[in-house]
Amino acid sequence: MLIEISGVSHTYAGRAQPVVRDLDVRLSEHRVGVIGANGSGKSTFARMLNGLVVPSEGTVSVDGLDTARQGREIRKRVGFCFTDPDSQIVMPTVAEDVAFGLRRRGLSKAEVAARVDATLRARGLDGHADHPAHLLSGGQKQLLALSSILVTEPDLLVMDEPTTLLDLRNTRRVADVVVGLPQQVVLVTHDLDLLVGFDRVLVFDETRLVHDGPPAAAIKHYRELMA
Ligand SMILES: Nc1ncnc2c1ncn2[C@@H]1O[C@H](COP(=O)(O)OP(=O)(O)OP(=O)(O)O)[C@@H](O)[C@H]1O
Ligand SMILES: [Mg+2]
């Protein structure tokens, strides 16, 4: 899918200064990374990709759909994974949470059950289908949050620091899921190891996109900024 960002700046309500400025970028690569210092505007950028944030100036379109006017359509195609899986898990049990994403799709009970089963199996959560979601480990919760997004078969997955709260082993598990996804991915991360094999990495600094290129050069640029 083509993401087109034209003349975008964003100022949150009640704030005097923009937190994203003068952004013009087109993204169509399979794997796009986003890095930068705390507060540089990465999450705001990520949230603009599925209309969670609508820019105060300029336009964001995904697959030709404008996030300001066609947010609902866009959110059917663009999944969003938050840092904290607790902010995403809405139902009491694992299977119910995954099924929740399929509501109002006009699927039969049997179709929903089959898709939930297949999704949980693919993430290694099939043994936990009827467990209370809040009793899962942090890593399992993030895999559940991912399952609940992936069951809806989005074309693009936007992830905002999905491994920041996880230990190394669970970071690896989530990273392995990302590597194997057929979908296009935009990944915001402070875990620079996750960007190996990415097609393109954007570096944000103090509200602006300051570097755009292959991972090695982007990471070098980011390290120099932080030094
Ligand atoms: N809902 C909001 N209302 C007002 N200001 C906000 C809101 N969300 C973020 N900000 C501000 O916007 C700026 C950019 O925040 P953003 O979350 O996009 O940065 P970030 O690069 O994701 O940072 P981090 O690495 O810490 O996650 C910050 O100054 C932040 O305080
Ligand atoms: Mg952030």
Side-chain angles (χ1 to χ4, degrees):
M1 293 210 294
L2 176 64
I3 302 164
E4 289 178 284
I5 298 176
S6 310
V8 161
S9 293
H10 185 66
T11 306
Y12 283 107
R15 291 198 40 152
Q17 297 295 324
V19 299
V20 169
R21 285 176 219 253
D22 306 328
L23 185 59
D24 284 284
V25 68
R26 290 159 66 90
L27 304 167
S28 58
E29 291 77 8
H30 193 49
R31 294 287 180 263
V32 176
V34 179
I35 58 179
N38 292 133
S40 56
K42 304 179 301 296
S43 293
T44 305
F45 166 78
R47 287 169 184 222
M48 287 197 282
L49 302 182
N50 79 338
L52 280 174
V53 169
V54 171
S56 44
E57 268 179 65
T59 58
V60 176
S61 78
V62 181
D63 225 11
L65 301 170
D66 183 338
T67 60
R69 289 182 290 112
Q70 288 150 300
R72 265 181 69 112
E73 264 316 299
I74 285 180
R75 281 185 285 277
K76 282 186 194 158
R77 301 178 198 196
V78 183
F80 196 100
C81 178
F82 293 89
T83 306
D84 183 356
D86 283 328
S87 65
Q88 196 139 348
I89 295 168
V90 288
M91 295 299 281
T93 73
V94 169
E96 284 170 332
D97 194 71
V98 177
F100 184 75
L102 293 174
R103 73 201 183 285
R104 296 200 299 263
R105 296 258 167 155
L107 300 175
S108 71
K109 265 191 160 175
E111 285 168 319
V112 169
R115 277 171 72 167
V116 169
D117 276 357
T119 301
L120 290 178
R121 217 172 317 116
R123 305 280 89 86
L125 290 173
D126 41 326
H128 299 280
D130 299 317
H131 289 178
H134 72 273
L135 293 183
L136 297 178
S137 74
Q140 287 171 331
K141 278 187 187 173
Q142 193 56 292
L143 292 172
L144 169 58
L146 266 170
S147 299
S148 298
I149 302 165
L150 292 171
V151 75
T152 68
E153 301 180 341
D155 298 312
L156 167 65
L157 181 61
V158 179
M159 309 178 86
D160 189 2
E161 297 198 43
T163 61
T164 296
L165 301 175
L166 305 181
D167 65 16
L168 276 178
R169 186 169 47 95
N170 284 317
T171 292
R172 199 61 258 159
R173 288 174 73 182
V174 170
D176 287 344
V177 172
V178 175
V179 167
L181 289 176
Q183 281 93 350
Q184 192 177 351
V185 171
V186 175
L187 171 71
V188 179
T189 188
H190 287 287
D191 273 328
L192 304 177
D193 293 343
L194 266 52
L195 301 172
V196 172
F198 268 51
D199 302 304
R200 181 173 178 183
V201 176
L202 311 180
V203 185
F204 281 82
D205 193 46
E206 295 179 352
T207 74
R208 291 181 197 275
L209 176 60
V210 295
H211 184 95
D212 179 358
I219 289 169
K220 182 167 180 281
H221 190 98
Y222 173 55
R223 289 215 163 102
E224 285 164 5
L225 282 174
M226 294 303 106

